Amino acid sequence: MTRLLLAVFALNTAASVAAEPITRLLINRRLSTNGIEITPDGSHIVFWEIGPPGERRGDLLAMPIDGSEPPRVILEAEDFTRSIVARPGNYELLMLPDSNRVLAANPVNPQMGNQLFSVAVDGSGAVSISPRPLGGNFFSWELSPDGSRVLYSSNFFSANYGIYTAPTDGSGAFTLLAPPDADTGGGEFLPDGQSVVYVKRNQLVVEPTDGGAELEIGDLPADAAFLKVTPDGRYASFGRGELYQADLTRPDSIERIDMFGNARTIPKISGDGTAVVFPDNSVDLYAKTLANDTLVLLTEGVGSVGGPNAEVLIGDRVAFASGTQLYSQNLAGTDLRQFTTTPQFDEYQSTTLGRIASAGDGETVLFVGEFNADRRAELFAAPLLGGEATQLSDTAPFLASSSDTRIGPLELVADNQVLFGILYGVRFSNEATNLFTVPVDGSSASRQLTFFPDDFRISELEVSPDGRWAVFTVTDYDARFPDFGDTPREAMGVFAVEVETGIVTPLSAGMTDVYVGDIRFIGDTGQVMFGIYNSQDQTTSLMVSNLLAIPEPLGLAMALSAAAIVGAAVRQR
């Protein structure tokens, strides 16, 4: 720990001569880190403030991100525990796209339940868009594609939930689509934003957003759960244990489309919306053309499909793992291609050749092979239409300090590169010991960006919209998980790395007894916001870092200084 603190000290010393501070404190208050939103134009933040200990109170506040004005209350709450949306997550806000308005649930008084309000970040135009005087509790909400309307459920102090829509700017009254006594279920907007599909008395129903004639699509099976709608809004697929489809333009069109029924039959919809792809009984992979009865077996003669994340749709093809090999197939089932033709892939365990992803170019597949004979994992790339796979990573050198290696997070970054993490001997695949980059085409060897000791972990990795920066937290693994709990005891802080230069800069470091995270880039401004939660006084400090303020010559010196000190520390271990 002391050795890395020396590295952090060197970094901070070099950074202290910058022309302007890289990181500044925006606000320090008792607030919920998952109740914070940034306006689409990046000018303001909106957040719930939690009242003092012992008081059930909170207000909704907003302030400019540049700190030019203090926070102002834009909605007052009498009782904070009732001023939130119960699901899908506590303290949530819904920021409207292309507008500096926010949706928030707030009670008129503690006895009258929630009302859904729309309010501008300057506090003007606050208007209720939900039933009153009694608002009940809210179960779910979602915006129409253009953000002009919101679809939500409210129980109105009933045992069941009704379904409503309303203009998000408060310009009109809410519309009741289905009353609470209709035994309603979840719903969603169709892509045109003019209609919604939802469950009413066990019927799948399509209805205009402003009310009107209902179209009953058919009776739902008892185990129906998730609902996926094709991009053109014509078809829907759903199920749990069994898979069904429905034509949302005509009644009585629900039909079962799988063969055996299995909990994994959550379908993937093709990009053009003409077909769904699903694994059936965790054995075979099928494609179903929605416009007709064609059901195609994609894995004929290949064998069973791998585990979760073992298939990905890229254009009109699906790439999938089967056994120790990787294939792609068109959705017609007529053009099977194999990527993994070399003997090296026979070394990998059949259940762990997976984690398949698109490289973003529509032509290349990224995939991870785990636990070969040396108990190491490697990252590969292969052409979607078949051909030789290229090994992008080399984790063998790290076996000297670990019994095995794994590939951590994968992110596409600038210049057609992939940013990936390598873990040394741990089991959390969303973490990494250090970060690397490599061209997707494998034209050059991977490049190590960070040089942290083996017992430190990188997590909460976020990449800037332009792919130029990666920001992440660094935690002492041994301190964080003394008994495999989930409460950090000693977190080093937040770091940024510039992908092109490999310059690593501490944005906050050397802190103890805090939780650091909730990293968010502020649009394409080159700024990033993160929270520091202090477990002693239960306050959260919101910090804003200007990555463009990092002076490049000094940044290089900082990176070299850190690498030298940490490298020496590692050699002394």
Side-chain angles (χ1 to χ4, degrees):
M1 186 71 169
T2 302
R3 292 188 293 273
L4 192 60
L5 277 172
L6 290 174
V8 171
F9 174 78
L11 294 175
N12 283 326
T13 300
S16 65
V17 297
E20 61 178 287
I22 297 170
T23 300
R24 59 184 170 85
L25 173 66
L26 183 61
I27 192 173
N28 176 254
R29 297 200 179 192
R30 287 173 50 86
L31 50 87
S32 168
T33 56
N34 65 335
I36 302 169
E37 289 292 342
I38 300 173
T39 57
D41 63 4
S43 64
H44 286 73
I45 61 167
V46 183
F47 57 92
W48 283 114
E49 181 178 26
I50 304 173
E55 291 189 18
R56 301 196 309 177
R57 176 183 172 80
D59 296 318
L60 187 66
L61 294 89
M63 71 175 296
I65 273 183
D66 62 11
S68 59
E69 299 177 10
R72 68 167 67 189
V73 175
I74 60 174
L75 271 183
E76 292 184 341
E78 295 291 337
D79 181 346
F80 185 74
T81 62
R82 300 188 63 88
S83 67
I84 58 179
V85 174
R87 288 181 293 270
N90 289 343
Y91 315 110
E92 284 200 4
L93 304 170
L94 200 57
M95 185 63 63
L96 304 185
D98 303 321
S99 169
N100 283 350
R101 295 186 72 84
V102 63
L103 301 186
N106 186 50
V108 177
N109 62 55
Q111 286 76 42
M112 298 182 70
N114 289 335
Q115 288 191 33
L116 188 60
F117 278 82
S118 172
V119 60
V121 295
D122 62 4
S124 64
V127 59
S128 173
I129 57 173
S130 62
R132 54 183 179 180
L134 300 180
N137 293 308
F138 293 92
F139 178 78
S140 63
W141 53 2
E142 74 165 71
L143 291 176
S144 61
D146 64 359
S148 65
R149 296 187 73 87
V150 61
L151 173 70
Y152 61 90
S153 301
S154 175
N155 69 351
F156 208 43
F157 287 118
S158 167
N160 299 310
Y161 284 79
I163 294 183
Y164 304 81
T165 65
T168 53
D169 61 2
S171 60
F174 67 87
T175 300
L176 173 64
L177 299 182
D181 62 3
D183 192 22
T184 59
E188 65 177 79
F189 283 98
L190 296 186
D192 63 5
Q194 302 302 308
S195 299
V196 297
V197 56
Y198 64 94
V199 179
K200 177 181 179 181
R201 295 190 179 94
N202 213 41
Q203 279 266 337
L204 192 65
V205 174
V206 174
E207 184 175 353
T209 56
D210 56 359
E214 298 176 0
L215 177 61
E216 295 184 349
I217 305 302
D219 292 329
L220 289 175
D223 59 357
F226 58 83
L227 182 72
K228 284 182 172 288
V229 178
T230 56
D232 62 4
R234 171 148 189 197
Y235 296 98
S237 58
F238 51 89
R240 180 193 292 158
E242 298 174 350
L243 185 62
Y244 299 82
Q245 77 169 54
D247 184 339
L248 300 180
T249 66
R250 61 186 180 89
D252 302 320
S253 62
I254 294 177
E255 61 176 316
R256 182 174 172 179
I257 60 175
D258 69 329
M259 301 293 290
F260 304 105
N262 182 270
R264 271 199 67 219
T265 54
I266 298 178
K268 293 180 171 67
I269 297 177
S270 62
D272 60 5
T274 62
V276 291
V277 174
F278 59 94
D280 200 349
N281 207 29
S282 294
V283 173
D284 292 309
L285 196 65
Y286 287 86
K288 171 66 170 62
T289 302
L290 295 171
N292 55 49
D293 294 330
T294 304
L295 183 66
V296 177
L297 174 62
L298 301 178
T299 51
E300 185 172 6
V302 172
S304 61
V305 181
N309 302 318
E311 72 267 351
V312 63
L313 270 168
I314 304 176
D316 62 352
R317 299 187 69 86
V318 57
F320 61 91
S322 179
T324 59
Q325 306 300 323
L326 194 69
Y327 303 85
S328 82
Q329 173 73 279
N330 65 0
L331 298 184
T334 60
D335 186 28
L336 184 68
R337 308 287 183 96
Q338 183 174 351
F339 308 136
T340 48
T341 57
T342 56
Q344 64 174 316
F345 294 102
D346 294 333
E347 303 175 3
Y348 289 91
Q349 294 182 7
S350 61
T351 58
T352 54
L353 183 61
R355 288 191 60 198
I356 303 170
S358 169
D361 57 4
E363 300 176 353
T364 309
V365 180
L366 299 173
F367 64 98
V368 175
E370 292 186 335
F371 294 148
N372 64 1
D374 296 329
R375 293 193 61 79
R376 75 178 194 271
E378 300 293 357
L379 174 66
F380 297 88
L384 180 63
L385 295 180
E388 195 61 46
T390 302
Q391 182 173 325
L392 301 181
S393 63
D394 181 12
T395 68
F398 304 103
L399 290 173
S401 58
S402 173
S403 60
D404 56 62
T405 61
R406 298 193 182 188
I407 299 296
L410 300 175
E411 296 285 348
L412 297 176
V413 293
D415 301 324
N416 199 30
Q417 296 187 88
V418 58
L419 175 73
F420 66 96
I422 296 180
L423 297 84
Y424 314 156
V426 293
R427 48 185 162 177
F428 302 99
S429 61
N430 63 332
E431 296 187 341
T433 307
N434 278 299
L435 297 177
F436 301 74
T437 59
V438 65
V440 169
D441 61 7
S443 57
S444 61
S446 62
R447 178 169 56 105
Q448 186 167 352
L449 298 181
T450 63
F451 296 85
F452 294 106
D454 297 351
D455 54 357
F456 280 70
R457 291 295 173 261
I458 292 171
S459 61
E460 300 197 44
L461 177 68
E462 296 289 337
V463 174
S464 62
D466 60 4
R468 177 183 173 186
W469 299 90
V471 178
F472 49 89
T473 62
V474 178
T475 307
D476 184 330
Y477 183 87
D478 292 336
R480 182 178 177 183
F481 297 103
D483 55 358
F484 293 100
D486 58 2
T487 302
R489 290 185 358 189
E490 190 164 9
M492 288 305 302
V494 178
F495 288 73
V497 59
E498 188 175 17
V499 173
E500 180 181 3
T501 64
I503 295 173
V504 179
T505 304
L507 306 181
S508 69
M511 297 173 294
T512 59
D513 294 321
V514 299
Y515 176 81
V516 183
D518 195 35
I519 299 168
R520 309 185 195 192
F521 280 91
I522 303 172
D524 57 0
T525 64
Q527 298 182 90
V528 63
M529 185 177 74
F530 57 91
I532 302 173
Y533 174 73
N534 189 318
S535 60
Q536 300 299 316
D537 60 11
Q538 298 182 8
T539 61
T540 297
S541 297
L542 290 182
M543 316 295 292
V544 174
S545 296
N546 183 6
L547 303 181
L548 301 180
I550 300 174
E552 292 193 9
L554 291 177
L556 180 60
M558 292 191 294
L560 295 175
S561 176
I565 295 175
V566 175
V570 173
R571 288 192 293 272
Q572 294 172 10
R573 291 173 64 87

